[in-house]
Amino acid sequence: MKGFLIRLFCFLFSTSAFAQSVFLPAWSPYGGVYNLNFNPAISDSRHFADVNILAVSLSNASSGFDHSFETLYPFDLKSRYKMNKSGSSNPFINESAFIMGPSVIFSGGKNRKNVWAFGLSSELNEVLDMDHVDTSLYRAFAANQSGQLPQSTFLNQNLFYASWLELKPTAGYTVFDKKKHFVKVGVSARILQGFSAYQFNAGEMSVINVGNDSVQVALKNVDSFRSEELRMEFDEITRKPNSAAPSFSGEIGVIYEFRALRDSVHYYMNEKRWMNHENIKYLISAGVSFSPSVQVQYVGENYSLIESKALIPYSRIQSASSLDSVYTNILSQFSNVKSTETKRMKLPAKLNVFADVNIYKGIGLNISSTIHPGQAAGFRSNIYQPDFVTLAPRFDNSLYGASLPVTWQRWDPLSRENTLLAGVTLRFGPISVAAHYNLSASQISQLNVGLKIPVRYKNLKDKDGDMVDDTRDLCVIVPGQYTAMGCPDSDLDSIPNDQDRCQWEKGPRKFRGCPDKDGDDIPDIDDRCKDVFGLVQFEGCADTDGDNVPDDVDECDSIPGLPKSMGCPDFDDDGVYDPWDDCDSIPGPKEFKGCPDRDGDGILDMDDDCPDEKGDLLDGGCPDRDNDGTLDKNDYCPDEKGSFRNHGCPNEDADEDGLWDFEDDCPDDFGPKSNRGCPKKDKFPNQKKQLVLRINDGFDLDLRNRTELDSISSLLQKYPDYSVRIIGFADSLGTDEEKKTLSVQRARIAREHIENNGIDGARILTSAEGNIDPIEHTIEGENNLKYGRIEVYVLFKDK
């Protein structure tokens, strides 16, 4: 064991030279990862994370030996036991080492709320305790002195050594954070692996010289255990296969803070309320944690006897290479006392309590205590740890700090002297040191060194004062809005003005800050039809009829058309679109709604009785060149004024028989009116016959009409030189075209009837006059001047 302790001592101090921070003996506002050893409720750390590389805490307590500097931590026991005993009734030595290996806590997040915190620590613990020791025997071993050992008898001798590894994953959670009150709870799982152990307990041990080369050793009530030997190298730690299994336990803790100072460390940035964790924000902080007792297991050789004596050569004591081998060599001379077994050594329960008062800007007072409830005296199966209470006025900030701890240490129930220690801890940036030394008679000292890397929160800076930190601020020297990455944003649409096409109207980023009222994915600034859902190819306007003419320029937005006709159909291609074209199949000018006027007389062809000749509207569009009231188409004398009844010719009486020529059947022959102006010739009966025949609404001849026409046919057959003239008339109903058509059809049926009677068609003349020249006719007692009819005139030739 001595070789192991020497290597451990060199290892600790060779690495502690690189220490940048210190493992504090109790809770500290800036303890970080080291606070895990005191309370698993990971305190609201000043830093985002805390990484420990190596931390070492050494403690030495002794009584019954002279005090000198060389007695501090002499893990080389040969040097230790050169010391002179000072005459204590209970000489003892207690030494311990605590090494925190790679460990880490994460206590923050991006939002700095620190709701969850996590930690993982690794620890190596070592305890050496000797009570009621036989110092003459030890000095003989240490100095290898010759000669006889003084005869001595010691009662209740105890020698104890144990080391173990501990891995402790931890989680902390903030259960309450409102107004001025803050509560965090935490829990750790403790995984302990026994490393090495030695134990020697003797109710009585007597040494009697037998000659010059041996001693007689008498033992009563001895119980001794030595674990399997370990081989420890810096690059490898190995254990024999039959090593003991790990042990498991837990730890729970809670921390409360009264945050009367919290408002002083809050500030607003990035639309959130941030906290400067590097400042202490509480007025009072207090916490308590508890770990139940746990047994650490070891595998090794056990020596046990009730009472026996053995003669031991002095050389076996001198050949011992370590302190535990002194007793092992002695016990090996006793027969049948060794066995192999698993030893369970009990770590006591631990209750940690602390309170910290922050008085003014980092100046405060800290009190912390560790007690081990139910810890029994003796070292037969217990790993004893002393209780302590520490009071420490302190000053702390994020970069440096100092405190003056005063500690009262209690050794009961081991009947050892309780002690008072004073010390100092200093922290300069990353470098910290701490030491304690006793103020009472017993020699007690503590030293703490370590290497820790705190990961600080990144300070948020704001050059332009717009409450947007510079790392997010794209306009570092120009005040802006957080939603626009710290740049000016006049319409508050989260798009900076220099990227916003519509600085005074809110709009989405995909449209570069311009609105889209109609939701057609075309920003209003590019949309011709801002209130109508439209298409990209029509700049945001719709095309309801699908004719590729947008509705805003389509004059027929519900009827497909052509772009050249503004989206309207134009079948006759006359520039008058079909919905407004009264003649959509015939080209015509716009002023006549697309209808033609071929003769240009201002009367549409469809209303013009003479579409190819200019005429007057009152004359149905037909000309009357002589202006005699008889249209040229009906005027036998279109260039001479005449009367209507004379077919537009002048009224003349060429034979001066008193009948106008148009009334005179024989205008060149004098004849009486009774004979229609023709001379009477007795040799020709029926010289002239005139019939006025009424025609049905249709074109069928009634019996009377057929009888009259048959009579005319008979006359024409009798007189081959006679001819007949048939004139059709219509009433005033219908259009002029319809009237004319009706007149022609009426004359035609009369002609056909006469032709059917065997009369040559060349002797039959027909004409149609429409409703021109009405005559008075009586129908059932009523006069009707518009009665449709057929007039038949028999023309004879004067032989």
Side-chain angles (χ1 to χ4, degrees):
M1 187 181 70
K2 182 180 70 173
F4 168 74
L5 294 177
I6 293 173
R7 290 194 298 272
L8 178 62
F9 176 80
C10 296
F11 173 74
L12 295 179
F13 281 89
S14 64
T15 55
S16 64
F18 300 96
Q20 296 184 6
S21 59
V22 66
F23 173 76
L24 300 176
W27 188 90
S28 167
Y30 287 88
V33 67
Y34 299 145
N35 284 344
L36 285 182
N37 192 54
F38 205 77
N39 196 311
I42 302 172
S43 60
D44 196 19
S45 175
R46 309 282 81 79
H47 302 121
F48 169 73
D50 211 29
V51 181
N52 174 68
I53 305 302
L54 183 68
V56 180
S57 179
L58 304 176
S59 177
N60 171 273
S62 64
S63 177
F65 296 91
D66 294 334
H67 293 185
S68 65
F69 182 78
E70 66 177 356
T71 63
L72 294 177
Y73 309 107
F75 282 87
D76 182 354
L77 295 182
K78 290 185 177 182
S79 298
R80 157 75 71 183
Y81 300 112
K82 290 179 181 178
M83 300 181 298
N84 294 319
K85 181 181 177 183
S86 61
S88 172
S89 61
N90 180 19
F92 75 91
I93 297 174
N94 183 281
E95 295 175 346
S96 65
F98 171 88
I99 304 173
M100 178 180 278
S103 304
V104 63
I105 61 170
F106 294 97
S107 59
K110 290 184 178 180
N111 58 7
R112 300 194 178 189
K113 291 183 178 180
N114 296 359
V115 175
W116 280 99
F118 300 95
L120 179 65
S121 65
S122 59
E123 304 169 1
L124 172 63
N125 292 271
E126 183 183 53
V127 174
L128 171 65
D129 191 273
M130 295 185 295
D131 192 18
H132 295 90
V133 295
D134 183 350
T135 57
S136 61
L137 180 64
Y138 298 156
R139 285 199 301 272
F141 149 68
N144 286 325
Q145 65 186 30
S146 61
Q148 295 181 344
L149 291 174
Q151 296 184 10
S152 60
T153 299
F154 278 85
L155 302 177
N156 299 322
Q157 289 197 64
N158 292 295
L159 172 61
F160 179 86
Y161 170 81
S163 63
W164 65 94
L165 297 171
E166 181 171 347
L167 185 66
K168 186 161 61 176
T170 304
Y173 180 70
T174 301
V175 296
F176 192 84
D177 185 7
K178 292 184 179 179
K179 296 184 178 179
K180 296 182 179 181
H181 304 283
F182 173 92
V183 178
K184 178 173 278 190
V185 299
V187 61
S188 295
R190 301 178 64 191
I191 306 170
L192 298 94
Q193 175 66 61
F195 197 60
S196 62
Y198 183 80
Q199 177 188 355
F200 178 83
N201 304 112
E204 180 179 326
M205 179 177 177
S206 298
V207 179
I208 302 173
N209 288 311
V210 179
N212 294 325
D213 57 355
S214 61
V215 293
Q216 178 180 285
V217 177
L219 298 176
K220 292 182 180 180
N221 299 324
V222 173
D223 186 11
S224 179
F225 174 82
R226 184 179 187 181
S227 67
E228 299 283 356
E229 184 179 357
L230 299 176
R231 184 175 73 254
M232 177 178 176
E233 304 294 344
F234 290 114
D235 60 345
E236 181 182 28
I237 298 178
T238 60
R239 178 182 291 277
K240 289 186 177 182
N242 63 342
S243 62
S247 302
F248 299 91
S249 182
E251 184 174 8
I252 188 170
V254 61
I255 292 177
Y256 165 78
E257 292 181 1
F258 178 65
R259 295 184 166 183
L261 307 177
R262 183 164 67 170
D263 290 340
S264 63
V265 296
H266 274 164
Y267 61 95
Y268 286 90
M269 191 75 69
N270 302 338
E271 294 188 343
K272 295 180 181 178
R273 193 182 188 195
W274 295 82
M275 183 179 290
N276 188 345
H277 282 267
E278 295 190 358
N279 293 334
I280 298 175
K281 51 188 169 293
Y282 59 81
L283 181 62
I284 298 174
S285 180
V288 60
S289 67
F290 177 75
S291 298
S293 62
V294 60
Q295 291 182 340
V296 184
Q297 302 184 61
Y298 302 88
V299 174
E301 296 177 342
N302 188 72
Y303 295 84
S304 180
L305 58 86
I306 298 176
E307 182 176 1
S308 184
K309 297 179 181 180
L311 187 65
I312 301 173
Y314 188 75
S315 59
R316 293 200 63 84
I317 300 176
Q318 295 286 353
S319 64
S321 61
S322 60
L323 185 61
D324 58 316
S325 65
V326 173
Y327 287 102
T328 302
N329 288 347
I330 292 174
L331 290 173
S332 65
Q333 301 303 305
F334 293 82
S335 60
N336 301 321
V337 297
K338 184 174 74 169
S339 63
T340 301
E341 66 175 46
T342 299
K343 188 75 170 180
R344 293 175 177 83
M345 298 185 178
K346 184 178 180 181
L347 277 172
K350 181 173 64 174
L351 179 66
N352 293 325
V353 181
F354 82 89
D356 190 81
V357 179
N358 190 37
I359 300 173
Y360 177 74
K361 291 185 177 181
I363 299 174
L365 183 64
N366 182 273
I367 183 171
S368 54
S369 174
T370 297
I371 60 175
H372 304 88
Q375 183 172 227
F379 286 90
R380 290 186 177 275
S381 60
N382 295 342
I383 301 175
Y384 184 83
Q385 294 180 333
D387 302 336
F388 72 86
V389 177
T390 298
L391 181 66
R394 60 156 181 83
F395 170 75
D396 280 294
N397 65 26
S398 62
L399 296 178
Y400 52 88
S403 66
L404 299 172
V406 177
T407 300
W408 178 75
Q409 194 173 59
R410 185 176 75 97
W411 288 95
D412 289 344
L414 293 182
S415 300
R416 297 179 183 176
E417 180 183 357
N418 297 328
T419 55
L420 185 66
L421 295 86
V424 61
T425 64
L426 300 174
R427 180 169 51 89
F428 301 96
I431 300 175
S432 299
V433 293
H436 277 67
Y437 197 76
N438 66 304
L439 299 178
S440 57
S442 297
Q443 177 180 333
I444 296 181
S445 61
Q446 294 179 345
L447 176 65
N448 304 280
V449 292
L451 172 61
K452 186 179 71 167
I453 303 174
V455 181
R456 302 174 62 182
Y457 284 101
K458 189 174 182 179
N459 292 329
L460 301 181
K461 298 180 180 180
D462 183 16
K463 292 182 180 179
D464 53 14
D466 58 3
M467 298 174 69
V468 181
D469 75 281
D470 293 346
T471 60
R472 296 181 57 90
D473 200 331
L474 297 181
C475 303
V476 177
I477 60 175
V478 180
Q481 283 75 36
Y482 170 75
T483 54
M485 302 299 289
C487 292
D489 179 18
S490 301
D491 54 12
L492 300 179
D493 61 359
S494 302
I495 302 174
N497 287 347
D498 60 347
Q499 301 175 22
D500 198 333
R501 296 180 64 198
C502 305
Q503 295 184 10
W504 302 102
E505 293 182 278
K506 286 186 177 181
R509 184 170 296 278
K510 67 177 181 178
F511 300 139
R512 292 184 59 190
C514 290
D516 177 21
K517 295 178 183 177
D518 52 17
D520 57 5
D521 282 342
I522 303 170
D524 292 349
I525 194 173
D526 300 323
D527 197 334
R528 292 207 321 267
C529 305
K530 296 178 177 58
D531 300 317
V532 178
F533 188 93
L535 305 173
V536 174
Q537 59 266 37
F538 301 132
E539 297 179 345
C541 293
D543 180 16
T544 304
D545 53 17
D547 58 3
N548 287 323
V549 180
D551 289 353
D552 64 325
V553 296
D554 194 335
E555 296 186 9
C556 306
D557 55 11
S558 61
I559 305 173
L562 301 174
K564 68 177 183 179
S565 57
M566 304 301 290
C568 291
D570 185 10
F571 181 78
D572 53 15
D573 198 24
D574 59 0
V576 181
Y577 310 141
D578 290 355
W580 299 282
D581 195 334
D582 290 345
C583 305
D584 54 11
S585 61
I586 304 173
K590 292 182 179 180
E591 56 267 26
F592 296 139
K593 296 184 178 180
C595 290
D597 177 21
R598 295 196 300 271
D599 54 16
D601 58 3
I603 302 173
L604 305 182
D605 289 354
M606 62 180 180
D607 299 326
D608 198 334
D609 293 336
C610 304
D612 297 315
E613 296 179 273
K614 286 186 177 183
D616 190 270
L617 178 62
L618 297 177
D619 296 329
C622 292
D624 181 13
R625 294 197 300 270
D626 54 13
N627 200 26
D628 58 2
T630 303
L631 303 180
D632 289 354
K633 65 178 182 175
N634 299 320
D635 198 335
Y636 295 168
C637 305
D639 296 318
E640 296 180 85
K641 284 188 176 183
S643 66
F644 176 77
R645 294 184 63 83
N646 198 27
H647 302 288
C649 291
N651 291 330
E652 295 181 353
D653 185 9
D655 55 7
E656 296 181 357
D657 57 5
L659 290 174
W660 300 110
D661 288 349
F662 69 88
E663 298 176 320
D664 198 334
D665 290 343
C666 303
D668 296 325
D669 297 318
F670 185 89
K673 292 182 178 180
S674 59
N675 199 30
R676 304 247 343 140
C678 290
K680 292 183 177 181
K681 297 182 179 180
D682 296 334
K683 61 180 178 179
F684 296 106
N686 298 323
Q687 294 180 356
K688 185 176 183 181
K689 186 172 182 63
Q690 178 177 352
L691 294 176
V692 178
L693 302 176
R694 177 182 176 182
I695 299 300
N696 295 331
D697 291 340
F699 304 124
D700 294 333
L701 297 173
D702 59 15
L703 179 61
R704 176 178 172 275
N705 291 339
R706 289 195 297 272
T707 301
E708 293 290 348
L709 292 176
D710 289 343
S711 175
I712 296 297
S713 300
S714 299
L715 181 62
L716 294 176
Q717 291 174 353
K718 185 177 180 180
Y719 300 101
D721 293 332
Y722 281 24
S723 60
V724 65
R725 180 183 180 190
I726 302 173
I727 305 173
F729 292 86
D731 56 23
S732 59
L733 300 178
T735 64
D736 290 346
E737 189 69 23
E738 292 172 341
K739 297 172 187 175
K740 187 166 186 175
T741 300
L742 185 58
S743 300
V744 170
Q745 291 174 338
R746 286 176 174 173
R748 178 172 53 78
I749 62 173
R751 175 191 178 96
E752 290 175 351
H753 187 84
I754 294 174
E755 286 180 340
N756 291 334
N757 287 332
I759 304 302
D760 187 3
R763 299 171 60 191
I764 303 172
L765 303 176
T766 59
S767 62
E769 295 298 336
N771 65 341
I772 298 174
D773 194 14
I775 62 173
E776 184 176 349
H777 189 77
T778 301
I779 302 176
E780 298 179 357
E782 296 182 4
N783 293 330
N784 185 359
L785 298 180
K786 296 182 179 180
Y787 188 74
R789 66 192 186 280
I790 299 175
E791 293 186 359
V792 182
Y793 296 90
V794 177
L795 305 178
F796 60 92
K797 186 175 181 182
D798 189 357
K799 295 185 178 180

